[in-house]
Amino acid sequence: MKRTVLVILLCALVFGVASFPAAAAGKNVVFADLSWDSIQFHNRVIAFLLEKGWGYSPEYIFSETLPGYLGLERGDIDIIMEVWTEGQKEWWDKATASGKVVNLGKVFPNAKSGWYIPSFVMKGDPTRGIEPFAPDLRSAEDLKKYWQLFKNPENPKKGRFYNAPTGWSAHTINRDKIKAYGLEEYLEPFDPGSATSLATAIKSLYDKGQPVIAYYWEPTPLLGQLDMVMVEEPPHDPEIWAENHGCASPAYTVAKAVNAEWLKDNQEIRSLVENYYMTLEQTNQALAWMQEHDNSAEKAAIWFLQENMDQWKSWVKDPEKIVKIEAALR
């Protein structure tokens, strides 16, 4: 009896699998949900368009960075919406040169990192009754004149610079910059302990209308919430950077990458992915909205598409698909 049941089940499995047409699998698209917010947001935006306009079924695989990149190369993953190319340069150059991974252009302008201060430090904020603290503060050199605005409560003889957490490469780089710019007697780096603590410290002082200077990067939710300005540094120079980090940090190229074999069978979506592009400010704003709404990338994607109809239509172009997507957004 057990043997009979087993045979029946095996037959059902074989015939059941055989009854599904192979073409259905071709409509799947697998995204890498790497461990940061912006890629998950961009995944959901383009996935919504592919699902509602082209009939694809999106899937998301959570992965750390390098395993996700290797999965794209192998074909386990179809699309990665953010490959920070300089961060994995050896892999990127090899994967694209071999033809296993196709570069379909930037997702947004080169991503920046550096030293940020609230815009009200220079411009004030009439809505909050804040007068400008230092109208001519623009550059790292100007901090020698205005360091007292950022006075360290634990060491009033120096200003407090909120550094990247210990263990990050930026933690050491910022210390090198302070030395290279001759700011050691003016600024003292402070380790916040974590990225969350760094963001909390910046927002707390910002909300109180107090000056703060800190290392940060974009795109991030925080810079979508707060009006912050990057302090000017000498232009990036690879030789100076290699010597003492005494210049602006290099901006990262962030590419949209697709598995080459998958793209061969799905050429209909190539132009959509190539056309997909938004500003850093838009990404910051979307991440801020996402943080304020349950950290839901799906909700943020729909919100963005509803608020930027002309933009996504310029990516899609096909009138028939635009009608379908508009109906889904309603």
Side-chain angles (χ1 to χ4, degrees):
M1 181 64 180
K2 287 181 181 177
R3 212 175 273 172
T4 304
V5 171
L6 180 60
V7 170
I8 292 170
L9 287 172
L10 287 171
C11 289
L13 180 61
V14 170
F15 288 112
V17 170
S19 68
F20 286 104
K27 280 292 186 180
N28 289 344
V29 54
V30 181
F31 293 90
D33 256 358
L34 304 181
S35 56
W36 58 89
D37 292 341
S38 58
I39 190 171
Q40 294 173 19
F41 162 69
H42 288 295
N43 283 348
R44 299 317 186 276
V45 174
I46 201 155
F48 187 95
L49 299 175
L50 286 173
E51 181 179 6
K52 306 305 180 184
W54 279 260
Y56 280 78
S57 298
E59 298 177 27
Y60 308 94
I61 294 178
F62 181 80
S63 168
E64 293 302 326
T65 307
L66 187 55
Y69 291 169
L70 294 174
L72 178 73
E73 189 176 0
R74 287 193 305 267
D76 302 329
I77 289 166
D78 303 320
I79 300 177
I80 294 185
M81 287 299 290
E82 288 187 24
V83 175
W84 293 61
T85 61
E86 288 85 358
Q88 297 288 347
K89 191 174 189 309
E90 184 179 350
W91 170 81
W92 176 249
D93 290 346
K94 182 181 175 183
T96 51
S98 70
K100 293 179 180 179
V101 171
V102 179
N103 177 6
L104 293 186
K106 296 179 183 180
V107 65
F108 43 63
N110 289 359
K112 302 179 290 185
S113 66
W115 298 1
Y116 286 83
I117 59 176
S119 65
F120 62 67
V121 170
M122 294 99 73
K123 300 185 296 185
D125 185 349
T127 62
R128 294 203 285 164
I130 300 174
E131 295 291 329
F133 290 88
D136 58 342
L137 171 53
R138 294 287 183 276
S139 68
E141 183 66 23
D142 296 332
L143 293 168
K144 295 176 182 178
K145 180 180 177 181
Y146 290 112
W147 68 268
Q148 290 186 337
L149 291 176
F150 313 102
K151 192 173 289 185
N152 184 347
E154 296 173 7
N155 180 11
K157 293 182 179 180
K158 290 187 179 183
R160 173 177 281 184
F161 172 81
Y162 284 87
N163 200 0
T166 302
W168 292 20
S169 59
H171 179 88
T172 303
I173 288 169
N174 288 324
R175 285 180 169 271
D176 291 346
K177 285 187 177 189
I178 287 173
K179 185 176 181 179
Y181 296 153
L183 292 171
E184 285 181 297
E185 63 179 288
Y186 303 98
L187 291 180
E188 186 171 46
F190 174 80
D191 181 2
S194 68
T196 300
S197 297
L198 176 60
T200 300
I202 295 169
K203 191 169 188 308
S204 176
L205 290 166
Y206 185 98
D207 289 346
K208 293 174 184 175
Q210 296 177 10
V212 57
I213 181 165
Y215 167 79
Y216 223 71
W217 63 97
E218 33 188 327
T220 48
L222 186 77
L223 294 184
Q225 293 173 319
L226 311 182
D227 186 5
M228 303 284 284
V229 178
M230 187 182 286
V231 173
E232 294 174 7
E233 299 177 65
H236 180 73
D237 182 313
E239 291 186 9
I240 295 174
W241 185 259
E243 181 184 348
N244 63 6
H245 295 123
C247 60
S249 301
Y252 277 88
T253 305
V254 187
K256 299 163 291 184
V258 181
N259 175 269
E261 287 300 315
W262 183 83
L263 187 59
K264 282 181 186 177
D265 296 329
N266 295 273
Q267 280 292 324
E268 61 178 341
I269 62 89
R270 180 173 188 139
S271 64
L272 171 69
V273 182
E274 286 179 324
N275 292 336
Y276 185 103
Y277 187 82
M278 64 178 73
T279 66
L280 279 173
E281 290 76 17
Q282 284 179 312
T283 306
N284 285 337
Q285 289 165 6
L287 295 181
W289 191 97
M290 177 172 155
Q291 191 172 73
E292 294 163 4
H293 294 80
D294 308 322
N295 287 311
S296 170
E298 288 82 2
K299 289 181 182 178
I302 292 171
W303 170 81
F304 176 85
L305 291 168
Q306 289 174 334
E307 294 293 315
N308 297 275
M309 301 286 280
D310 291 340
Q311 187 170 355
W312 66 257
K313 287 178 184 179
S314 73
W315 304 336
V316 174
K317 296 188 182 298
D318 185 321
E320 184 179 330
K321 291 177 174 57
I322 287 172
V323 169
K324 292 179 182 178
I325 295 164
E326 281 185 314
L329 286 172
R330 285 196 297 270

